Amino acid sequence: MDLGLTEDQEMLRSMAREFIEQETPRTFVRDMEEDDRGFTADMWQKIAQVGWLGLIVPEEHGGTGQNLVDLGILLEEVGHGVMPGPFFNTALTTVAILDAGSDAQKAEFLPRIAAGDLIATTAILEPYSRLDANGINLEASASGDGYTLNGTKMFVENAHAADYLLVAARTGGSGEDGITLLLVDAQSDGVSVDKLKTIATDNQCEVTFNNVSVPGGNVLGEAGNGWSVLRLLLQKGAALRCTQMVGALQEVLDMTVEYVKNRVQFGRPIGSFQAIQHYCANMATDVDGSRFITYQAIWRLGEGLPSDLEVSSAKAWVSDSAQRVAATAHQCHGAIGFTQEHDLQLFTRRLKAWEVSFGDGDYHRERVAQAMDI
């Protein structure tokens, strides 16, 4: 069984890492934590120019038509460099349009995304932060040939910079019935965005909709039957988030191994002590296990295979690994790892946010149990 990357995928990984090191070094990442927008227009255009925004967009719409595994490889490097900006959210919205968009919607949105002219994000969670169908309660009432939105979405990442929001709303019914996905112009009258203060400084927002009009042509998929599309999107979002976490975990491991090799205490490098060696070995086991279980889930999703068990197993394992790896890295580094000047705290804060994104370990363990019919 070959678990390695193809030559093209290795090239994608290498080029992505080189780009991130040159264009978004840690100094830039730190600067963007203090920036209201969180990224620059110049950075976004450079990402578009190297083809990242069109990676999974079909060639007829201005992209290169690559697959979900390729996107996962790219996002692993994005996590490795904790690259700021709305790339993840725009990519996930692209996935949704590819899965459920009409030909007209694909022709309208995908070329603009690939060119870097359109930033998008998903607005799914509400104040109760439930990921099941009963958590979708934002009202979308029929109005002429479209809908009027009223309600609030929480933890909408980069909504402050988005041109479009992919909004999960309720047009009627209860539970899985009556959910509709809408592509909402973020500049529409009645849309208000407030940034939330988070430990990760990751530009999470509260978005309020007050009598916001949305044309009927902006329904993604079939009105009232959007849960199946949303459910698949949540699975892909969870798996893709895992790839981002794997990249960050690998960097945490690398910086810890480098530190223990060079930090001298009691006349010898602390990495020569068995306890530290075992700490690093445990971290390496977690990181490699996270990578393999994540790419299994990504591959199955990309092939259209049933993936409930694999996705939730991956997100549960990677979320728990993030806790273990970050805590162990701090034990190895000691007090210096908590200082603002050290990179470790930067990764720890991002991993804490990603750990709960698309469901934490406990949520996905419940889903694993359900997948096993217990």
Side-chain angles (χ1 to χ4, degrees):
M1 181 170 57
D2 184 7
L3 298 177
L5 303 182
T6 67
E7 184 178 345
D8 287 344
Q9 289 171 337
E10 288 285 5
M11 186 179 299
L12 172 64
R13 171 174 298 210
S14 176
M15 292 175 65
R17 181 162 301 192
E18 181 179 352
F19 177 89
I20 290 170
E21 288 175 351
Q22 290 180 354
E23 302 295 338
T24 62
R26 299 291 159 74
T27 53
F28 178 82
V29 174
R30 293 175 183 277
D31 288 344
M32 290 302 99
E33 285 201 304
E34 305 298 326
D35 186 87
D36 287 340
R37 189 170 170 83
F39 67 102
T40 65
D42 181 62
M43 181 202 94
W44 191 249
Q45 284 307 309
K46 286 180 179 178
I47 289 173
Q49 289 166 11
V50 296
W52 289 11
L53 295 173
L55 186 76
I56 58 172
V57 173
E59 292 182 12
E60 61 265 30
H61 296 306
T64 54
Q66 294 176 253
N67 59 38
L68 199 66
V69 172
D70 296 324
L71 178 58
I73 291 166
L74 180 54
L75 281 169
E76 183 179 342
E77 292 308 311
V78 168
H80 192 276
V82 285
M83 188 187 81
F87 176 68
F88 180 93
N89 314 104
T90 300
L92 188 61
T93 307
T94 304
V95 168
I97 295 171
L98 288 170
D99 283 348
S102 65
D103 290 342
Q105 288 169 339
K106 291 175 182 178
E108 177 183 357
F109 291 104
L110 294 182
R112 294 166 63 191
I113 290 173
D117 296 331
L118 190 153
I119 295 171
T121 190
T122 56
I124 298 170
L125 291 177
E126 298 187 10
Y128 288 105
S129 295
R130 293 181 59 166
L131 284 168
D132 61 359
N134 289 320
I136 307 299
N137 293 297
L138 184 143
E139 180 185 1
S141 54
S143 177
D145 63 349
Y147 296 90
T148 299
L149 300 184
N150 283 285
T152 300
K153 290 293 183 179
M154 295 293 294
F155 305 112
V156 184
E157 194 171 355
N158 290 296
H160 69 298
D163 300 300
Y164 271 84
L165 310 169
L166 177 58
V167 178
R170 185 164 292 282
T171 51
S174 61
E176 297 179 5
D177 295 325
I179 292 176
T180 301
L181 299 182
L182 298 161
L183 289 162
V184 180
D185 187 334
Q187 305 306 314
S188 300
D189 291 340
V191 176
S192 61
V193 178
D194 295 303
K195 286 182 68 174
L196 303 172
K197 188 174 182 179
T198 65
I199 189 174
T201 61
D202 54 349
N203 294 309
Q204 301 286 347
C205 301
E206 176 183 2
V207 182
T208 302
F209 300 88
N210 183 16
N211 293 323
V212 177
S213 297
V214 184
N218 283 26
V219 173
L220 192 70
E222 186 179 350
N225 291 314
W227 174 247
S228 60
V229 177
L230 180 57
R231 185 174 180 274
L232 179 60
L233 185 65
L234 289 170
Q235 285 190 319
K236 291 183 176 179
L240 289 170
R241 185 67 87 191
C242 284
T243 64
Q244 205 171 12
M245 294 173 73
V246 166
L249 290 172
Q250 183 66 60
E251 179 61 17
V252 169
L253 172 61
D254 292 344
M255 73 171 69
T256 303
V257 170
E258 182 68 19
Y259 180 79
V260 301
K261 285 181 177 179
N262 292 287
R263 174 70 167 111
V264 175
Q265 190 63 274
F266 307 111
R268 54 196 282 201
I270 62 173
S272 65
F273 293 101
Q274 186 183 65
I276 298 296
Q277 293 171 354
H278 286 190
Y279 280 164
C280 291
N282 287 338
M283 293 169 68
T285 302
D286 268 331
V287 173
D288 281 348
S290 294
R291 178 174 289 107
F292 290 133
I293 198 171
T294 292
Y295 279 101
Q296 180 191 31
I298 286 282
W299 177 81
R300 289 185 66 88
L301 284 168
E303 294 296 312
L305 299 172
S307 307
D308 290 6
L309 178 63
E310 289 77 12
V311 169
S312 286
S313 294
K315 190 58 170 66
W317 176 263
V318 178
S319 291
D320 290 355
S321 292
Q323 292 184 19
R324 293 190 295 265
V325 170
T328 305
H330 278 288
Q331 284 183 288
C332 292
H333 279 81
I336 193 173
F338 289 96
T339 63
Q340 287 294 320
E341 294 75 20
H342 202 280
D343 286 342
L344 180 56
Q345 56 79 28
L346 183 66
F347 282 85
T348 300
R349 289 188 288 110
R350 298 294 171 84
L351 283 167
K352 179 55 66 175
W354 295 339
E355 175 195 328
V356 298
S357 177
F358 297 98
D360 63 4
D362 287 341
Y363 170 81
H364 281 284
R365 272 185 287 276
E366 290 290 333
R367 291 183 58 83
V368 170
Q370 292 171 13
M372 295 188 296
D373 292 325
I374 57 175

